[in-house]
Amino acid sequence: MIEGKIIDLLSNIFGGDFLEINITDWKENGSLDLFAADIVKFLLTSQPTPPNSSRGVSIKKAHYFFQKCDEYEREWDYSWKNFNNMWVKYKSIAHFMYVNVYEFNNMLYVFPSDPLFAEKIDNILADTDRLKAYFEKSFYVFNELAERLDRRATETIKFPKLPRGFVPVPVFTPALSQEAIDTMARYKSTHNL
């Protein structure tokens, strides 16, 4: 049975607790999953200016961006402390959230109260190619974040061990709008970068 093989595969990747279901209050424009996905989107689309890490992408710059720019559909109007605390809480799975939201149109959002819940789970597990692509794209995003952010921001995040044959697959990262570029230019000028 293919579902048993997939369960075994996922169990090897994530360990025995991967089937824990985290039931959240889903709001189309305000869930914390989208918060983490939007931060990752900003971090992937921002242009780092190496080699000086103070000029690279950062969570502090993401906070400034979300306070000053309407680039995304949703508003994340949090104080720096709350913004950072939420990032710390979600950073270890944010790459998965980004891929689910921006690459897979929320395919992994399923709700136990949905009458078609079991059927949706079966469909997700049966589409092994798409599931493999999901993990490979998540692996790519994880590697990009590790490369772009200061190593202290990602050193505690460990990507699950994937089976042989899984390789990072690039994701589409749209360019920032001119408004966003101007917003970040103001950040650089006010912070002497």
Side-chain angles (χ1 to χ4, degrees), residues 89-140:
K89 182 177 180 178
Y90 285 93
K91 71 180 180 178
S92 64
I93 56 173
H95 46 283
F96 290 117
M97 293 174 170
Y98 173 84
V99 172
N100 188 48
V101 171
Y102 288 108
E103 293 283 317
F104 284 87
N105 198 26
N106 295 318
M107 87 165 185
L108 296 179
Y109 285 124
V110 292
F111 305 96
S113 62
D114 185 341
L116 300 174
F117 175 74
E119 182 180 330
K120 289 179 179 181
I121 293 293
D122 288 342
N123 290 339
I124 289 170
L125 294 176
D127 193 349
T128 55
D129 290 339
R130 190 160 184 199
L131 206 51
K132 181 179 184 224
Y134 170 78
F135 286 112
E136 290 177 329
K137 287 179 179 250
S138 296
F139 192 28
Y140 174 84

Side-chain angles (χ1 to χ4, degrees), residues 135-151:
F135 286 112
E136 290 177 329
K137 287 179 179 250
S138 296
F139 192 28
Y140 174 84
V141 172
F142 172 82
N143 288 338
E144 282 293 303
L145 292 176
E147 187 175 306
R148 289 168 165 265
L149 291 168
D150 184 287
R151 70 171 176 77

